[in-house]
Amino acid sequence: MTVSPLALEAIKRAAKKARISSDKYHYQDVISRLALPEPYPLQAEIIGSKAKRKVICAGRRAGKTQLAAIRAVRGLLEGHNVLLTSTSQDQADVFWRRITQWTVSLADNGLYKNETKRVLQYRDGRLRVKTGRDPDVLRGEDADLLILDECAIS
């Protein structure tokens, strides 16, 4: 039995649509099971922005680190290669602690965690937390979502 190229293309489109629909359902299902905090309205607006680059300049205790961590976890679940970096080990520790607490429910569902390298992998996504005081330390890392925290501190 031969299938016409037109029919084959229609089958491919239907399969792709089903996969995307399945991935969206999976994403929403996973998000609902995580202990992610609900973003504040301004945080939600920033997360939802379609801007390629986002720079957040806000005062202390405005929720910038929390926002960055929420976006990093969502990026992981969306299949992105996320690199989250800050200038100090203490700040990187804050990220890592929050992210690992929020994703603990994924441990039995395929989440890979390496405490030494501070890496989480889930399905097609990867999240790495590093300090970036020395920019050379960041060489060799590729990321399609780069999050810099406290980068104005010298």
Side-chain angles (χ1 to χ4, degrees), residues 46 69 71 95 99 139:
I46 293 167
R71 182 61 190 107
F95 279 123
I99 289 166
R139 289 179 188 246

Side-chain angles (χ1 to χ4, degrees), residues 82-96 115-119 127-139 141 146-151 153:
V82 181
L83 175 58
L84 197 151
T85 183
S86 75
T87 55
S88 74
Q89 185 63 49
D90 289 342
Q91 193 65 22
D93 290 343
V94 170
F95 279 123
W96 185 249
E115 286 281 347
T116 305
K117 292 186 175 184
R118 295 200 167 184
V119 172
L127 189 155
R128 179 123 194 233
V129 176
K130 293 182 88 171
T131 57
R133 182 167 288 287
D134 178 7
D136 288 338
V137 173
L138 301 176
R139 289 179 188 246
E141 292 287 338
L146 175 63
I147 300 173
L148 307 170
D149 190 46
E150 301 294 348
C151 60
I153 296 174

Side-chain angles (χ1 to χ4, degrees), residues 3-70:
V3 179
S4 74
L6 189 59
L8 187 58
E9 192 59 37
I11 291 168
K12 285 180 183 178
R13 278 195 311 269
K16 183 177 180 182
K17 186 176 181 181
R19 187 178 74 247
I20 290 170
S21 175
S22 170
D23 287 348
K24 284 182 181 177
Y25 171 77
H26 177 79
Y27 175 79
Q28 292 301 327
D29 180 51
V30 170
I31 284 286
S32 69
R33 289 185 286 135
L34 294 182
L36 277 178
E38 192 66 33
Y40 300 128
L42 185 55
Q43 291 174 328
E45 183 180 331
I46 293 167
I47 288 172
S49 168
K50 300 293 182 199
K52 183 175 181 177
R53 293 179 181 88
K54 301 172 189 175
V55 177
I56 298 142
C57 183
R60 295 187 55 163
R61 311 289 302 158
K64 299 178 299 290
T65 298
Q66 181 100 336
L67 169 65
I70 291 169

Side-chain angles (χ1 to χ4, degrees), residues 98-130:
R98 287 180 185 178
I99 289 166
T100 55
Q101 286 172 351
W102 297 339
T103 58
V104 72
S105 66
L106 295 178
D108 294 334
N109 294 315
L111 179 74
Y112 166 79
K113 178 170 78 168
N114 184 321
E115 286 281 347
T116 305
K117 292 186 175 184
R118 295 200 167 184
V119 172
L120 294 178
Q121 290 180 323
Y122 183 72
R123 298 180 89 187
D124 294 333
R126 181 175 187 266
L127 189 155
R128 179 123 194 233
V129 176
K130 293 182 88 171

